Amino acid sequence: EVQLVESGGGLVQPGGSLRLSCAASGFTFSAYAMHWVRQAPGKGLEYVSAIDSNGHSTYYANSVKGRFTISRDDSKNALYLQMGSLRAEDMAVYYCARGIQLWLFDSWGQGTLVTVSS
Amino acid sequence: DIQMTQSPSTLSASVGDRVTITCRASQSISDWLAWYQQTPGKAPKLLIYKASTLESGVPSRFSGSGSGTEFTLTISSLQPDDFATYYCQQYHSYSTFGQGTKLDIK
């Protein structure tokens, strides 16, 4: 069974940094692109970032470009999102998702909440 | 960037009703369109991809159609578990989600 478990969320001050992790199991992690999608409280889904199966290509939404960095460690079956210069508008539940056909998401984690507040 | 617009934003219906949700793309995306269902506090769940292909395990009362810029999700006979928020997603060029359609009980 595919499992994705996010962690690392919490309260951070504006301008601060946070690193999210996603632990994957139940599938060959290294064979899949992986993604981060977020959802602000009471709002819709917003695409954040992607990394291909090789870890060589990454993509960022304009809203996070230059502030967030996606990475993966296939030896640990783990996906990461390093978030910096955090703003109030970054406050959201962050989901990791497995990508099939690159940008189609067939499995999602339960999400981790990031709160940006002073 | 490709924009996705869903309508309506909210839909009230009863168990047994047939409902349709529409999704429009700002430019042609062929049939690279997916639908997700999300219940409160849970992660989204993939229902349909390639505009009309049902994900494994999804009940046959769900169906999708369309190509180019106009797409629909139809639920033929609403069941209690179907009251949720539905999102369309284009994956023709990176990824964009629609703003969501909340389906609630009339």
Side-chain angles (χ1 to χ4, degrees):
Chain A
E1 179 195 1
V2 174
Q3 278 206 322
L4 298 168
V5 180
E6 301 94 337
S7 60
L11 175 63
V12 61
Q13 292 187 338
S17 300
L18 208 57
R19 188 200 199 200
L20 305 184
S21 300
C22 172
S25 61
F27 65 102
T28 304
F29 181 73
S30 60
Y32 291 85
M34 296 296 296
H35 304 263
W36 290 98
V37 178
R38 69 185 181 184
Q39 186 169 36
K43 302 297 184 182
L45 301 169
E46 180 189 13
Y47 189 79
V48 175
S49 185
I51 187 165
D52 70 359
S53 58
N54 296 320
H56 294 158
S57 294
T58 58
Y59 169 83
Y60 300 94
N62 287 335
S63 57
V64 306
K65 200 172 294 182
R67 300 186 298 121
F68 290 12
T69 302
I70 190 171
S71 62
R72 62 190 297 158
D73 185 339
D74 290 351
S75 68
K76 296 181 179 179
N77 288 347
L79 175 71
Y80 304 103
L81 186 68
Q82 180 68 47
M83 305 186 296
S85 302
L86 283 162
R87 308 166 179 167
E89 54 265 35
D90 296 317
M91 185 161 64
V93 173
Y94 284 73
Y95 295 101
C96 70
R98 185 176 77 167
I100 58 173
Q101 300 180 34
L102 271 184
W103 298 90
L104 177 66
F105 315 132
D106 72 331
S107 298
W108 299 63
Q110 86 289 350
T112 187
L113 176 62
V114 172
T115 302
V116 183
S117 176
S118 54
Chain B
D1 291 3
I2 299 174
Q3 309 301 318
M4 305 300 292
T5 304
Q6 286 181 235
S7 60
S9 296
T10 306
L11 180 56
S12 296
S14 302
V15 172
D17 283 354
R18 177 185 179 93
V19 298
T20 297
I21 298 168
T22 298
C23 179
R24 290 186 174 86
S26 60
Q27 64 189 75
S28 178
I29 57 170
S30 184
D31 57 359
W32 301 107
L33 190 283
W35 291 97
Y36 297 84
Q37 176 194 62
Q38 188 180 34
T39 53
K42 297 291 183 66
K45 172 188 172 184
L46 177 63
L47 295 177
I48 288 170
Y49 60 96
K50 213 67 164 45
S52 61
T53 303
L54 221 57
E55 173 74 337
S56 175
V58 174
S60 58
R61 63 181 180 273
F62 291 90
S63 63
S65 65
S67 67
T69 62
E70 288 228 7
F71 302 87
T72 59
L73 170 70
T74 299
I75 310 172
S76 60
S77 178
L78 277 172
Q79 299 303 301
D81 286 350
D82 300 339
F83 292 97
T85 300
Y86 293 86
Y87 294 92
C88 62
Q89 177 218 9
Q90 69 81 16
Y91 55 107
H92 169 74
S93 175
Y94 305 112
S95 172
T96 318
F97 292 96
Q99 81 278 16
T101 295
K102 184 178 181 182
L103 177 55
D104 61 22
I105 300 174
K106 186 185 290 184

